[in-house]
Amino acid sequence: MSLPDGVPLPGCRHDVLGHALKAIGVLRALATCAAADDCDAAAEGSWDSATATFKIRSARYPDADSLAKFFAEKYRPTPIFAPWHKTGGITDNLDVAIASTAGDIEQFRKENETFLEGLGLKTTKKLAPSGALVFTLKSDADLSSLERTATSAGLSCQHKQKKKGGGQVTEVTITTDRSPLEEFFRGHRDRLVEFGLTERKEISAEGVLKFASDSSNRDAILQLVAAFNGTSHPAGSPPVPTDVAEPQRDRLRCTISQKESGKTDGAVPRAAALLRDDPVFQECLCLARSAVSDLQGEDEEVKSDAFLRYRDLLPDRVAESVDSLCTLFLTRENDNPLLLRRGRPGDKVRGHIFASYWEYFEYFRAHSLGFARASLFAERVTATGVSKKHQVGKGTPFFPDAIKSYNQGADWVTEEYPFCPLDYLLAVEGALAMRGATSKTLNARSRTRAAFPFVFEATETMTDEQGKALKLASSFWFPIWTRPTGYDELQSFVLDSQARLATKECRFSSDFGRAIRSQGVDAGFAAFQEFRFKLKGANVPWTTAGRFVPCTGTPASGMLNELLAPVDESGFLNQFEFHTSRETRADLHPLRAPVLDAIEAAAAEPDESKVLDVLCRLADLNAQLAKSKSLREKVGSGRVIFVPPLRCENWSEALTDLEGDREFEIARALASIQGRERQSEGSYSQAEPFLGSLLPLQRGQRCWFLPDPPSPQAVWSGIDLTRDLSAILARRVIDSEADFRPALVGACSARLSSLLAFLGGELDDARIARLVEGLSLVDWQQPSERQLRDAAQDTGEQHLDAVPVAYAAVRSLVEIACDASSSDSTATSNAGPRATVQRTVSLVTRQEPGMVVAGVTEALRRLAIVGVPNIYGEAARQQKPKLAGQDVVAFEAGPARIQCDPALSRRLAAAVLIGRNRPSARRRGRRRPHQQPVGDADRGDPFLVRCAPFETLPTGCR
């Protein structure tokens, strides 16, 4: 029944590669694959997003019955051939038989029937297949009389002795006059050897010269025989002639037949018989056969010229298909995963389309209407006489055949889908249509791939049976469109489609996933279905269904592109190339594969956790490159590129929803610690940003680089977080010794509750360490608005656990040192807080209880000397701006005994390195976050006074 919006085709689904290509094949066939009077160029097709099926709207074929009848009776496959290949019908083996035409043996037998029967010829004896008359003489027969009779008739009589029973008999063979054949054989033996005749081959007793050749020599053999006969043989004459020219002038007869020695041999000749009334098919077949000898030769220049000449002579529609199959086939490596190596010698029998295309056409024509309905409408073929193997599970690479099932994801499933020969034919038609402009290879750096606009490299490698990596696997993205579109318009879309990121062409599948999320392609496609090409037990790719990605233009969809723009521009990932020849270059692709996998996952579902995983994967690879000299040598002799500083505003926005994650807050506070701070005299601090404490890199104006010798500031091991942070705290204080404040100031910080949880060992140290490594790649500049709001709310916290006095004292001293301005003389005085910070930090970073107690005691004494801001109201501050001496701490009966348990001692220095937000900076007009210290000090108060009031201090301390 006809529907207003088209006829649905349940046999075409976009989530199975063969079915998706069938849909385009149906549209292509209706528009171009029939006689001009039978085509419907105005037919339109579209995808139904609700059912994932394809719909066809055609005025000429408006219902299911007429569509099925079109394919059953009028469909003519695109005539594609592979004249460079030795199988598939173009160059299949041929049986050649050359015999003399002098004399007529059948007439000789009729005229001498009584005489021959008297010599022993039986009346039921038939002529041999070669045309000779062979029989056994009676014992008393006159052989000489027979020879004279045969010679007078222009025939030749040969005899030989054969054993029979207990004695011997004479076998006679009467053939045509052998002299013309012997003359031809002597004069053209060398040429015949070139055509396949073995050097020891002789004329048979029946007077026939037989040998095997291939179809590329067919015309040359016939022309050689015709020249001997004094006639001519035009190239491209009928494929199996029995007589070359006029019988009365012929001296020799040449018979050529197809050699039936394989499953696919003879498929093209049989298809030629079925399409004898198709002039386009016959023309293309003749052109292919005429080009065989040059295309299979050894001279590369001749092959290249012959290929271009062959392509130019083809009809336009067929020439475009050849471009899809093998653009620049003879001059450059140009693999196409859809078409499986384009039929190069050495492929599996079913490993390319040329070996199966015409065989499936022959099967289809055996029961065309039933197969048409089965292919289009998913009906079962129940007609008798149709082999089951032609119905289910065949059709590499579009329809897997070894396991009788398809693949719908990461693994093979056992459900069987209907399959018939027309499925394969239409899938090939769709593959031929899915080509870009022949001058365009959308793979980055002009990779030598066929001109498909949506074929990219994936992360997996293709390996052979021995496990050797051959190349990167491929990923094909199939376009989905929902607006009814004609074939010409669709073809124009495909030719013109572009898939680019802002700074580069898409090379990897992960690139394309990002591109279509943010800007799609310039063709108006609504979505894309991904298919991966993997190996399944042999060096033949199998397809697996991948992601379905809609083309959207929302801000969230383009987020990942903005985040990774600096990485794209730097070419960081391009350093880790895939190489098959490991003797000259190492294969570094496995190192970047986890990064590409993470990018693909984030492109498909751009949530915060997946985006953060991309950052961590980049950090892992960046660290390997920075730490491994051998890896840097493998990358190449040029400049090694490290991950550039990533844009703070982009990453802050992307990770906003993680700000309530306590481990993320801790890691970000650490990663945002600044370096290279400008000093009062105009110089810059020698302390690097926090990434310089993790890796032996130095920060340049726009990038990170590895100095010679490497920077000694990197003390991060990645094994024990607390020891690493303690070592970083000590190192950063030493490296900023000459600066007006320690290099411990950060752009971001964490809430007090998160700090206390870390100090108490309640958080996941391994996750914090991983996040620190990833977040250190970001060029942190300022806190987000949400972070400032959370900090403002944090100032009103009333029910926190008591802060350990050890942490309160050391952190308060660090904050006062960091808050000292460059104009303050105490900032650089040996008697000021700077020197005290160095002594205190040196003690607490030992992580030993006794040393930590000494460091805390030293911090309390120094706080009593330098004082802390008065927080007890404006009136109190007017009377006494600072609290010092016994206002901070007093000793009643000798030195106070401060207790530090081992757990607190181990984590204290690490916790001191972590800062907290200072919302008061906005109220004081501090718009540049790098000018603020990394502590709490709400309203300017020291951490000790606010968070450790007198009643929380141990006995003897108040």
Side-chain angles (χ1 to χ4, degrees), residues 9 67 151 276 356 359 381 387 394 422 499 600 675 693 705 855:
L9 305 181
L67 275 176
T151 302
R276 64 175 61 90
S356 303
E359 179 189 14
V381 180
S387 173
K394 294 289 181 181
L422 185 59
E600 288 187 32
S693 295
F705 66 94

Side-chain angles (χ1 to χ4, degrees), residues 146-203:
L146 176 60
E147 290 176 345
R148 288 193 301 270
T149 304
T151 302
S152 63
L155 302 177
S156 174
C157 181
Q158 306 290 329
H159 66 277
K160 63 180 179 180
Q161 298 297 315
K162 291 183 63 175
K163 291 183 179 180
K164 185 176 181 180
Q168 288 188 339
V169 296
T170 302
E171 184 181 81
V172 176
T173 302
I174 300 175
T175 64
T176 59
D177 185 6
R178 298 165 56 99
S179 57
L181 181 59
E182 292 173 349
E183 178 185 351
F184 173 79
F185 183 62
R186 289 192 301 268
H188 300 89
R189 182 163 189 155
D190 292 341
R191 288 292 309 278
L192 294 173
V193 169
E194 295 177 5
F195 296 147
L197 180 74
T198 58
E199 294 185 356
R200 295 185 179 182
K201 190 73 174 181
E202 299 291 343
I203 299 173

Side-chain angles (χ1 to χ4, degrees), residues 234-251:
S237 291
V240 187
T242 55
D243 293 304
V244 186
E246 301 176 14
Q248 62 270 22
R249 298 183 57 189
D250 287 350
R251 302 171 65 194

Side-chain angles (χ1 to χ4, degrees), residues 112 249 264 480 534 593 599 701 727 818:
N112 300 278
R249 298 183 57 189
T264 60
I480 306 298
K534 302 179 180 180
I599 292 174
Q701 185 176 3
C818 289

Side-chain angles (χ1 to χ4, degrees), residues 706-828:
L706 185 67
D708 189 13
S711 170
Q713 296 183 24
V715 293
W716 179 269
S717 69
I719 299 174
D720 187 322
L721 177 64
T722 58
R723 286 191 177 276
D724 284 343
L725 295 183
S726 297
I728 290 175
L729 174 64
R731 182 75 206 197
R732 295 190 72 82
V733 170
I734 294 173
D735 290 331
S736 57
E737 180 179 5
D739 302 341
F740 69 86
R741 63 181 174 189
L744 303 175
V745 178
C748 304
S749 54
R751 294 170 297 176
L752 179 58
S753 57
S754 300
L755 285 167
L756 295 179
F758 174 80
L759 194 59
E762 302 172 14
L763 305 184
D764 185 345
D765 285 1
R767 181 168 182 258
I768 293 174
R770 179 165 174 76
L771 295 180
V772 166
E773 293 172 346
L775 293 169
S776 296
L777 299 179
V778 179
D779 187 16
W780 296 103
Q781 295 295 329
Q782 59 186 5
S784 67
E785 289 297 323
R786 179 169 179 175
Q787 185 180 356
L788 293 174
R789 288 196 304 269
D790 290 346
Q793 296 172 0
D794 190 32
T795 60
E797 292 176 318
Q798 301 295 330
H799 302 290
L800 294 173
D801 293 338
V803 178
V805 68
Y807 174 73
V810 178
R811 182 64 212 182
S812 295
L813 186 62
V814 169
E815 288 181 356
I816 291 174
C818 289
D819 204 25
S821 66
S822 59
S823 60
D824 189 352
S825 61
T826 61
T828 57

